[in-house]
Amino acid sequence: MGQAWGFGRYGGPEVQEFFDRPDPVPGRGEVLIRVTVAGVNPLDHLLRSGLVPGLDGGRPFPRVLGVEAAGTVLALGEDADGLEVGDAVFGFALTGGGTYAETTVLSAPNTARIPAGLSATVAATLPIAGTTAVDVLDQLGLPAGATVLVNGVGGGVGLAVARLAIGRELRVFGTGSTTKRAHAEAIGVRFIDYAAEDVVTAARELVPHGFDGIVDLVGGNSLRTVAPLARDRRNIIAVGDMSVPDLGGRFVERRLDRENLERSARLALDRVLAPVITAVHPLSDAPAALATVENGHTSGKIVIKVA
């Protein structure tokens, strides 16, 4: 038996609970891991709220929160190729096992070994933020010296996108609230504070002829505000708002496979992709960790240290 934190039904924070569960049995294409560190993401509370159906693997309630983790392989399911018991790994829990738990199952094709020299804490941040950063910048394909606006730069994904873009020698600008300024500017972002200034006016003063690319992490009215700042709307890539084609832009094409995880890990080893980890919580403090992300107050990446 091991402790887990999850939810007994769909709803808000009131449905969350700690509970004990037996170690999951890895099914076909799964690996059982002892969780070392779990990443905390907005997707976690969206799944709890029932807003993103289809990622629960058909598992009954109570369900465990979390979709990304790093840990050690304890057992392999059938056809879990390319991994061995004892491997230090990181990846996605895409079959509903959750990651806010002492043990869980990850999808083997969406799991990779942690390379020597990379910590489990950093590795646990890469499945969501790291691979998203690689995907959006590959999709944009901008040359060195081009300008890119990261709309919502202060969170874990936004800072990862900005860091990788700077590593590709792009000129990076970002929007965010006042509390996000310090972390963004520390990595070299030209910051636009949407709480203190008009975003469009400030952006046009900085880049009068428009941005070569826009990466949107906010959606809604914010996306519609910044869309006219793109020189070519086909170079607007949205991560969360699937209505972006209505504005002429594109939704991010996600690659969740082992190859992309390994690529993110190499970039992290080379410090080209360096997550900004702002808080590490024990599993017992998981409610506070997710509440910070759900309330939109987090800057950078929050993780839960389980083992």
Side-chain angles (χ1 to χ4, degrees), residues 16-295:
Q16 297 168 174
E17 60 184 359
F18 282 102
F19 57 92
D20 291 326
R21 70 168 181 179
D23 291 341
V25 177
R28 181 183 294 273
E30 292 182 331
V31 294
L32 173 68
I33 71 164
R34 183 168 304 284
V35 179
T36 304
V37 182
V40 183
N41 298 281
L43 179 59
D44 302 343
H45 66 78
L46 295 176
L47 285 166
R48 183 209 64 214
S49 301
L51 298 176
V52 190
L55 291 180
D56 57 15
R59 297 176 189 268
F61 291 112
R63 294 175 184 159
V64 180
L65 283 152
V67 295
E68 65 177 353
T72 305
V73 176
L74 299 177
L76 304 171
E78 188 176 354
D79 297 330
D81 300 327
L83 300 171
E84 296 180 1
V85 172
D87 281 346
V89 297
F90 68 111
F92 295 95
L94 297 181
T95 55
T99 58
Y100 297 9
E102 293 180 29
T103 59
T104 195
V105 287
L106 303 181
S107 172
N110 312 104
T111 299
R113 289 186 177 93
I114 300 174
L118 190 68
S119 72
T121 300
V122 170
T125 71
L126 297 177
I128 298 293
T131 64
T132 300
V134 171
D135 286 342
V136 295
L137 291 172
D138 281 358
Q139 197 169 343
L140 279 173
L142 298 174
T147 56
V148 62
L149 175 68
V150 183
N151 190 39
V153 74
V157 176
L159 289 173
V161 170
R163 189 65 176 264
L164 186 55
I166 290 168
R168 295 188 179 191
E169 299 182 3
L170 302 180
R171 296 168 56 206
V172 182
F173 303 78
T175 69
S177 62
T178 306
T179 57
K180 311 296 176 65
R181 177 184 289 274
H183 287 300
E185 291 185 337
I187 64 171
V189 175
R190 291 290 300 274
F191 190 79
I192 300 171
D193 187 338
Y194 66 69
E197 54 192 329
D198 179 77
V199 168
V200 172
T201 300
R204 291 201 185 281
E205 288 178 354
L206 291 169
V207 185
H209 302 296
F211 295 93
D212 297 306
I214 294 177
V215 178
D216 175 71
L217 302 166
V218 183
N221 290 333
S222 181
L223 168 58
R224 281 149 183 77
T225 297
V226 300
L229 296 171
R231 296 181 64 184
D232 183 343
R233 292 204 181 196
R234 290 173 296 181
N235 283 339
I236 300 174
I237 307 294
V239 172
D241 192 328
M242 298 190 71
S243 71
V244 67
D246 297 339
L247 301 172
R250 295 173 286 165
F251 195 70
V252 61
E253 297 172 4
R254 293 291 280 120
R255 297 168 296 183
L256 310 181
D257 56 27
R258 184 175 297 164
E259 181 180 359
N260 211 25
L261 288 166
E262 291 172 342
R263 186 177 172 197
S264 298
R266 290 193 300 270
L267 289 166
L269 269 177
D270 292 340
R271 302 292 294 174
V272 177
L273 183 60
V276 179
I277 300 170
T278 54
V280 179
H281 293 259
L283 181 59
S284 61
D285 203 29
L290 184 55
T292 302
V293 172
E294 187 168 4
N295 293 335

